[in-house]
Amino acid sequence: MMRLEDAEAFAQREGLIVVTIADLIAWRRLHDRVEARARTTLPTAFGTFDTIGYADLLTGADHVALVSPLGIPAESPLVRVHSECLTGDTFGSTRCDCGPQLAESMRRVAAEGGVVVYLRGHEGRGVGLLDKLRAYALQDQGLDTVDAQTALGLPVDDREFGAAAAILRDLGIESMRLLTNNPEKETQLRDAGLTIETVPLITDRTVNNSRYLETKRVRLGHRLGESA
């Protein structure tokens, strides 16, 4: 058993490569994290997307990649990594901007080429649907989205984007134009070795989500302009 410094010296002397356990973990997170298990097409209001269903081998969640009708351009495709939001994406809630962001992302990706990666298990910034609704109840009493989750003993944002990075790698995407206002999402994907040009994704504000957007801008660092 050699210490790392001894192994590195031996490798340099013998022309070998040293691989650490951390290196193996990082490699597996990108290459063994997800498995494509279903492929089909999905006709939508924005066009027919090639659709790939992925199993997350770490969390057990199911994720979906919607590939543009134009396919994936060889250089800098447009990419949206979208966190599941049942209330916004499905019910059309105006408390957040999730539904409009998803629709605008699908429209733009369909028109320009690229992919929308839809991550399940991210409801309420990772705390789940029921706790998200509990946090909404505290927001009704005057707390903002950050303080509401903190008051419930919940993390402010418990999402991680390793599955998204693995899906993008599986699709052959290493460099992209990323539709996001969230610097943490961008940082995590960059840390996974992806090359990113950030493209803002600003949607219309409503009476019901203006405070939410301002909280994201001021307290979570989202790039939403000078005032939400």
Side-chain angles (χ1 to χ4, degrees), residues 110-128:
E112 300 180 38
V115 61
V116 175
V117 177
Y118 192 90
L119 296 177
R120 302 195 64 206
H122 276 199
E123 190 78 48
R125 296 194 300 275
V127 302

PDB file of all heavy atoms in Angstrom, residues 110-128:
ATOM      1  N   ALA A 110     -37.141  24.132 -29.829  1.00  0.00           N
ATOM      2  CA  ALA A 110     -37.751  23.605 -31.055  1.00  0.00           C
ATOM      3  C   ALA A 110     -37.330  24.416 -32.264  1.00  0.00           C
ATOM      4  O   ALA A 110     -37.074  23.868 -33.343  1.00  0.00           O
ATOM      5  CB  ALA A 110     -39.273  23.604 -30.928  1.00  0.00           C
ATOM      6  N   ALA A 111     -37.233  25.725 -32.101  1.00  0.00           N
ATOM      7  CA  ALA A 111     -36.930  26.610 -33.228  1.00  0.00           C
ATOM      8  C   ALA A 111     -35.442  26.658 -33.572  1.00  0.00           C
ATOM      9  O   ALA A 111     -35.072  26.857 -34.740  1.00  0.00           O
ATOM     10  CB  ALA A 111     -37.419  28.031 -32.922  1.00  0.00           C
ATOM     11  N   GLU A 112     -34.571  26.448 -32.560  1.00  0.00           N
ATOM     12  CA  GLU A 112     -33.132  26.653 -32.772  1.00  0.00           C
ATOM     13  C   GLU A 112     -32.321  25.364 -32.763  1.00  0.00           C
ATOM     14  O   GLU A 112     -31.169  25.358 -33.197  1.00  0.00           O
ATOM     15  CB  GLU A 112     -32.585  27.608 -31.707  1.00  0.00           C
ATOM     16  CG  GLU A 112     -33.234  28.986 -31.727  1.00  0.00           C
ATOM     17  CD  GLU A 112     -32.680  29.908 -30.654  1.00  0.00           C
ATOM     18  OE1 GLU A 112     -31.448  29.848 -30.413  1.00  0.00           O
ATOM     19  OE2 GLU A 112     -33.467  30.669 -30.064  1.00  0.00           O
ATOM     20  N   GLY A 113     -32.903  24.293 -32.258  1.00  0.00           N
ATOM     21  CA  GLY A 113     -32.160  23.038 -32.139  1.00  0.00           C
ATOM     22  C   GLY A 113     -31.522  22.911 -30.763  1.00  0.00           C
ATOM     23  O   GLY A 113     -30.999  23.887 -30.219  1.00  0.00           O
ATOM     24  N   GLY A 114     -31.589  21.735 -30.198  1.00  0.00           N
ATOM     25  CA  GLY A 114     -31.027  21.511 -28.876  1.00  0.00           C
ATOM     26  C   GLY A 114     -31.885  20.560 -28.073  1.00  0.00           C
ATOM     27  O   GLY A 114     -32.543  19.677 -28.629  1.00  0.00           O
ATOM     28  N   VAL A 115     -31.919  20.751 -26.757  1.00  0.00           N
ATOM     29  CA  VAL A 115     -32.616  19.784 -25.904  1.00  0.00           C
ATOM     30  C   VAL A 115     -33.126  20.459 -24.631  1.00  0.00           C
ATOM     31  O   VAL A 115     -32.490  21.381 -24.106  1.00  0.00           O
ATOM     32  CB  VAL A 115     -31.685  18.598 -25.539  1.00  0.00           C
ATOM     33  CG1 VAL A 115     -30.461  19.074 -24.767  1.00  0.00           C
ATOM     34  CG2 VAL A 115     -32.417  17.527 -24.737  1.00  0.00           C
ATOM     35  N   VAL A 116     -34.279  20.007 -24.171  1.00  0.00           N
ATOM     36  CA  VAL A 116     -34.793  20.349 -22.851  1.00  0.00           C
ATOM     37  C   VAL A 116     -34.640  19.108 -21.971  1.00  0.00           C
ATOM     38  O   VAL A 116     -35.185  18.046 -22.295  1.00  0.00           O
ATOM     39  CB  VAL A 116     -36.274  20.783 -22.896  1.00  0.00           C
ATOM     40  CG1 VAL A 116     -36.809  21.003 -21.474  1.00  0.00           C
ATOM     41  CG2 VAL A 116     -36.452  22.037 -23.738  1.00  0.00           C
ATOM     42  N   VAL A 117     -33.891  19.232 -20.902  1.00  0.00           N
ATOM     43  CA  VAL A 117     -33.737  18.137 -19.933  1.00  0.00           C
ATOM     44  C   VAL A 117     -34.662  18.436 -18.758  1.00  0.00           C
ATOM     45  O   VAL A 117     -34.500  19.452 -18.076  1.00  0.00           O
ATOM     46  CB  VAL A 117     -32.280  18.011 -19.457  1.00  0.00           C
ATOM     47  CG1 VAL A 117     -32.169  16.914 -18.392  1.00  0.00           C
ATOM     48  CG2 VAL A 117     -31.358  17.704 -20.628  1.00  0.00           C
ATOM     49  N   TYR A 118     -35.639  17.565 -18.545  1.00  0.00           N
ATOM     50  CA  TYR A 118     -36.628  17.761 -17.483  1.00  0.00           C
ATOM     51  C   TYR A 118     -36.274  16.838 -16.325  1.00  0.00           C
ATOM     52  O   TYR A 118     -36.313  15.612 -16.450  1.00  0.00           O
ATOM     53  CB  TYR A 118     -38.030  17.456 -18.002  1.00  0.00           C
ATOM     54  CG  TYR A 118     -39.144  17.902 -17.089  1.00  0.00           C
ATOM     55  CD1 TYR A 118     -39.702  19.171 -17.215  1.00  0.00           C
ATOM     56  CD2 TYR A 118     -39.642  17.062 -16.100  1.00  0.00           C
ATOM     57  CE1 TYR A 118     -40.732  19.596 -16.387  1.00  0.00           C
ATOM     58  CE2 TYR A 118     -40.669  17.472 -15.252  1.00  0.00           C
ATOM     59  CZ  TYR A 118     -41.202  18.743 -15.408  1.00  0.00           C
ATOM     60  OH  TYR A 118     -42.221  19.160 -14.573  1.00  0.00           O
ATOM     61  N   LEU A 119     -35.917  17.449 -15.181  1.00  0.00           N
ATOM     62  CA  LEU A 119     -35.464  16.689 -14.022  1.00  0.00           C
ATOM     63  C   LEU A 119     -36.593  16.518 -13.012  1.00  0.00           C
ATOM     64  O   LEU A 119     -37.107  17.496 -12.458  1.00  0.00           O
ATOM     65  CB  LEU A 119     -34.297  17.405 -13.348  1.00  0.00           C
ATOM     66  CG  LEU A 119     -33.012  17.540 -14.165  1.00  0.00           C
ATOM     67  CD1 LEU A 119     -31.983  18.333 -13.377  1.00  0.00           C
ATOM     68  CD2 LEU A 119     -32.453  16.172 -14.551  1.00  0.00           C
ATOM     69  N   ARG A 120     -36.976  15.277 -12.779  1.00  0.00           N
ATOM     70  CA  ARG A 120     -37.974  14.995 -11.747  1.00  0.00           C
ATOM     71  C   ARG A 120     -37.273  14.861 -10.396  1.00  0.00           C
ATOM     72  O   ARG A 120     -36.065  14.708 -10.308  1.00  0.00           O
ATOM     73  CB  ARG A 120     -38.744  13.738 -12.108  1.00  0.00           C
ATOM     74  CG  ARG A 120     -39.448  13.856 -13.470  1.00  0.00           C
ATOM     75  CD  ARG A 120     -40.494  12.787 -13.659  1.00  0.00           C
ATOM     76  NE  ARG A 120     -41.561  12.965 -12.676  1.00  0.00           N
ATOM     77  CZ  ARG A 120     -42.328  11.952 -12.254  1.00  0.00           C
ATOM     78  NH1 ARG A 120     -42.132  10.729 -12.706  1.00  0.00           N
ATOM     79  NH2 ARG A 120     -43.291  12.171 -11.380  1.00  0.00           N
ATOM     80  N   GLY A 121     -38.080  14.969  -9.318  1.00  0.00           N
ATOM     81  CA  GLY A 121     -37.496  14.927  -7.986  1.00  0.00           C
ATOM     82  C   GLY A 121     -36.969  16.263  -7.506  1.00  0.00           C
ATOM     83  O   GLY A 121     -36.335  16.347  -6.453  1.00  0.00           O
ATOM     84  N   HIS A 122     -37.233  17.334  -8.276  1.00  0.00           N
ATOM     85  CA  HIS A 122     -36.744  18.661  -7.921  1.00  0.00           C
ATOM     86  C   HIS A 122     -37.844  19.579  -7.393  1.00  0.00           C
ATOM     87  O   HIS A 122     -37.624  20.775  -7.220  1.00  0.00           O
ATOM     88  CB  HIS A 122     -36.084  19.322  -9.138  1.00  0.00           C
ATOM     89  CG  HIS A 122     -34.655  18.934  -9.327  1.00  0.00           C
ATOM     90  ND1 HIS A 122     -33.777  19.679 -10.092  1.00  0.00           N
ATOM     91  CD2 HIS A 122     -33.940  17.892  -8.859  1.00  0.00           C
ATOM     92  CE1 HIS A 122     -32.593  19.109 -10.081  1.00  0.00           C
ATOM     93  NE2 HIS A 122     -32.670  18.012  -9.345  1.00  0.00           N
ATOM     94  N   GLU A 123     -39.022  19.034  -7.165  1.00  0.00           N
ATOM     95  CA  GLU A 123     -40.158  19.847  -6.736  1.00  0.00           C
ATOM     96  C   GLU A 123     -39.800  20.683  -5.509  1.00  0.00           C
ATOM     97  O   GLU A 123     -39.192  20.189  -4.559  1.00  0.00           O
ATOM     98  CB  GLU A 123     -41.341  18.932  -6.386  1.00  0.00           C
ATOM     99  CG  GLU A 123     -42.639  19.654  -6.147  1.00  0.00           C
ATOM    100  CD  GLU A 123     -43.321  20.080  -7.444  1.00  0.00           C
ATOM    101  OE1 GLU A 123     -43.439  19.242  -8.350  1.00  0.00           O
ATOM    102  OE2 GLU A 123     -43.730  21.244  -7.522  1.00  0.00           O
ATOM    103  N   GLY A 124     -40.186  21.972  -5.532  1.00  0.00           N
ATOM    104  CA  GLY A 124     -39.921  22.836  -4.381  1.00  0.00           C
ATOM    105  C   GLY A 124     -38.447  23.031  -4.112  1.00  0.00           C
ATOM    106  O   GLY A 124     -38.019  23.088  -2.960  1.00  0.00           O
ATOM    107  N   ARG A 125     -37.659  23.139  -5.189  1.00  0.00           N
ATOM    108  CA  ARG A 125     -36.193  23.218  -5.081  1.00  0.00           C
ATOM    109  C   ARG A 125     -35.640  22.022  -4.299  1.00  0.00           C
ATOM    110  O   ARG A 125     -34.695  22.132  -3.531  1.00  0.00           O
ATOM    111  CB  ARG A 125     -35.737  24.547  -4.463  1.00  0.00           C
ATOM    112  CG  ARG A 125     -36.085  25.768  -5.298  1.00  0.00           C
ATOM    113  CD  ARG A 125     -35.340  27.026  -4.865  1.00  0.00           C
ATOM    114  NE  ARG A 125     -35.613  27.392  -3.494  1.00  0.00           N
ATOM    115  CZ  ARG A 125     -36.656  28.126  -3.098  1.00  0.00           C
ATOM    116  NH1 ARG A 125     -37.517  28.592  -3.993  1.00  0.00           N
ATOM    117  NH2 ARG A 125     -36.831  28.412  -1.827  1.00  0.00           N
ATOM    118  N   GLY A 126     -36.279  20.866  -4.529  1.00  0.00           N
ATOM    119  CA  GLY A 126     -35.764  19.613  -3.991  1.00  0.00           C
ATOM    120  C   GLY A 126     -36.387  19.133  -2.705  1.00  0.00           C
ATOM    121  O   GLY A 126     -36.048  18.042  -2.233  1.00  0.00           O
ATOM    122  N   VAL A 127     -37.334  19.900  -2.118  1.00  0.00           N
ATOM    123  CA  VAL A 127     -37.901  19.472  -0.825  1.00  0.00           C
ATOM    124  C   VAL A 127     -39.151  18.623  -0.986  1.00  0.00           C
ATOM    125  O   VAL A 127     -39.629  18.028  -0.020  1.00  0.00           O
ATOM    126  CB  VAL A 127     -38.210  20.681   0.088  1.00  0.00           C
ATOM    127  CG1 VAL A 127     -36.949  21.501   0.335  1.00  0.00           C
ATOM    128  CG2 VAL A 127     -39.325  21.547  -0.475  1.00  0.00           C
ATOM    129  N   GLY A 128     -39.716  18.567  -2.184  1.00  0.00           N
ATOM    130  CA  GLY A 128     -40.897  17.745  -2.420  1.00  0.00           C
ATOM    131  C   GLY A 128     -42.175  18.562  -2.426  1.00  0.00           C
ATOM    132  O   GLY A 128     -42.237  19.689  -1.928  1.00  0.00           O
TER     133      GLY A 128
END
